[in-house]
Amino acid sequence: MSRTHHVIVGGSIAGVSAAMAMRQSGFDGAVTVVDAEPLLPYEKPPLSKEADPEQAVRPILPEEHYREHGIDLVIGLRVHRLDDEHRRVVLAGGGELAADRVLLTTGVSARRLGTPGEELDHIHTLRTAADARRIFAGLHRGGPLVVVGGGFIGLEAAAVARTMDIDVTIVEAMELPLLGPLGPAVAGLMTRLHQGNGVRVISGQTVERYAGHGVVEEVVLTDGQRLPAATVVVGVGVVPNDQLAAATGATVHGGVVVDEYGRTDHPWLWAAGDVASQIHSRTGVRERIEHWDVAMRHGAAVGASMVGQPTINDAAPYFWSDQYGKSLQMFGRVRGTDHVVVREGAAPERFVAFWLREGRLAAVAGLDEPKAVRSAKTILDTNAVVAPEVLTDPSTDLRALARRLARPAAAPAQSLPVKT
């Protein structure tokens, strides 16, 4: 009798975490991780944070770790399609893997807008190690750099470029970079951090076209401005890699739709990480959460669920971003209707901000304030009502407040029965 075989498509942090969770849950069948890149599965966050892309490519686990846990790696091969009739994963080139269950951890790809001239050389997106090598090879030749789109990856690349003394301009369609994920108060602080480090920020503009002879030389904006550019990094969002799921007939809607355990509505197909459209227990809304920590935890939970240990990731969503030697950390998810307050004394170099929803802490973010953020995360976990002025007062000991709110309420005193 053949062993049960689970195939994980995508060597992402979600996929590797799922494979390890299967083993830790006692699964003794075969586990195979397939990835199109010809590299040992590696961490993606450092790619936009390091000037040396070779130093940035850090394996998630050493190669021997996979061997020790009986996890087979098939790298450098793309999955062509899923043959659900015969329960097989068909590889590019004709190879096949029998699969009792398939987990998609295929992540996302950078969105391209079809802007005229975007086929010119030295115009890049940043999602892979190969992308990072091309970008930073260009930056080591010199600037200027134009970053199109003020998201986290673009801003991290801008910060690295400034440490290399490269001239940097950020072009953002909205009023401020990071306005969507952070709101105006915190986005304003982060924008001022970049401006204070010599970055030019142009907001409310988009790119009309790229100009050059074979390679990009100028970025032409819709208002007619012409920005000289030796390198362009485009960060205008992502699209989920959900094509394999869609081809099987599984429901996709802004990602692969899954239940709380990572199951799709297709009998043998599961999904985890950035590609999965899930209802996180902390948010109550269906969405994709594109954070490394969330993908790691979701992958582990889905991997355990696939092998008979139903598990839900209920940890508060967390992410971090390193810029100019400072670390921005955030727990929770922001909504546009949240009440945002910033702790007194906030400056572009250091701050803590809180998002309140119905009087309860829904999210916290801090730049170079790790202790305050950790304490606020404990407050968030209690789901207790907190007055905004308590959070914004710099004299409030957040750690003590967290301990007090986390302490279970004392049981009411019991009256002794009266003897008669």
Side-chain angles (χ1 to χ4, degrees), residues 104 138 156 214 245 263:
L104 295 179
E156 288 173 353
R263 294 175 298 204

Side-chain angles (χ1 to χ4, degrees), residues 106-367:
T106 45
V108 294
S109 294
R111 176 179 282 116
R112 301 303 290 258
L113 300 179
T115 305
E118 71 177 12
E119 74 284 351
L120 292 169
D121 283 347
H122 302 172
I123 298 176
H124 309 284
T125 57
L126 179 51
R127 298 300 308 179
T128 68
D131 294 336
R133 291 190 185 101
R134 286 189 289 266
I135 290 169
F136 290 106
L139 292 182
H140 282 291
R141 292 193 296 267
L145 166 69
V146 175
V147 176
V148 179
F152 285 107
I153 288 178
L155 265 60
E156 288 173 353
V160 172
R162 286 302 300 142
T163 66
M164 301 166 64
D165 203 28
I166 299 290
D167 179 84
V168 179
T169 300
I170 295 171
V171 179
E172 168 56 46
M174 301 183 76
E175 295 176 12
L176 292 167
L178 303 178
L179 183 61
L182 296 180
V186 181
L189 289 167
M190 293 301 297
T191 299
R192 287 163 53 196
L193 174 67
H194 279 268
Q195 291 170 328
N197 280 277
V199 175
R200 181 187 183 195
V201 178
I202 300 176
S203 58
Q205 291 293 321
T206 56
V207 177
E208 181 179 277
R209 61 187 175 89
Y210 301 103
H213 297 85
V215 301
V216 68
E217 298 170 12
E218 287 186 323
V219 179
V220 183
L221 305 186
T222 49
D223 67 353
Q225 291 187 71
R226 305 177 76 95
L227 308 177
T231 302
V232 174
V233 174
V234 181
V236 290
V238 296
V239 292
N241 296 324
D242 56 11
Q243 301 87 346
L244 290 172
T248 69
T251 299
V252 297
H253 184 71
V256 183
V257 175
V258 299
D259 68 8
E260 65 268 36
Y261 299 107
R263 294 175 298 204
T264 73
D265 55 4
H266 195 283
W268 70 314
L269 191 61
W270 302 59
D274 291 1
V275 75
S277 174
Q278 56 175 305
I279 300 178
H280 194 283
S281 62
R282 294 296 188 104
T283 68
V285 296
R286 181 168 292 284
E287 59 184 337
R288 288 185 308 100
I289 303 178
E290 298 161 14
H291 300 333
W292 188 93
D293 186 78
V294 174
M296 176 184 68
R297 294 177 184 276
H298 191 225
V302 174
S305 298
M306 287 179 68
V307 298
Q309 298 291 330
T311 307
I312 295 174
N313 170 34
D314 60 359
Y318 168 77
F319 86 93
W320 79 98
S321 176
D322 296 334
Q323 301 177 34
Y324 304 107
K326 300 178 180 298
S327 182
L328 175 70
Q329 296 173 289
M330 186 170 189
F331 284 98
R333 295 283 283 178
V334 172
R335 296 182 190 171
T337 55
D338 292 341
H339 176 47
V340 186
V341 294
V342 180
R343 199 159 226 218
E344 294 174 23
E349 295 78 21
R350 190 169 188 171
F351 63 80
V352 185
F354 308 91
W355 286 260
L356 294 160
R357 191 176 304 152
E358 297 178 353
R360 293 172 169 81
L361 189 60
V364 57
L367 185 70

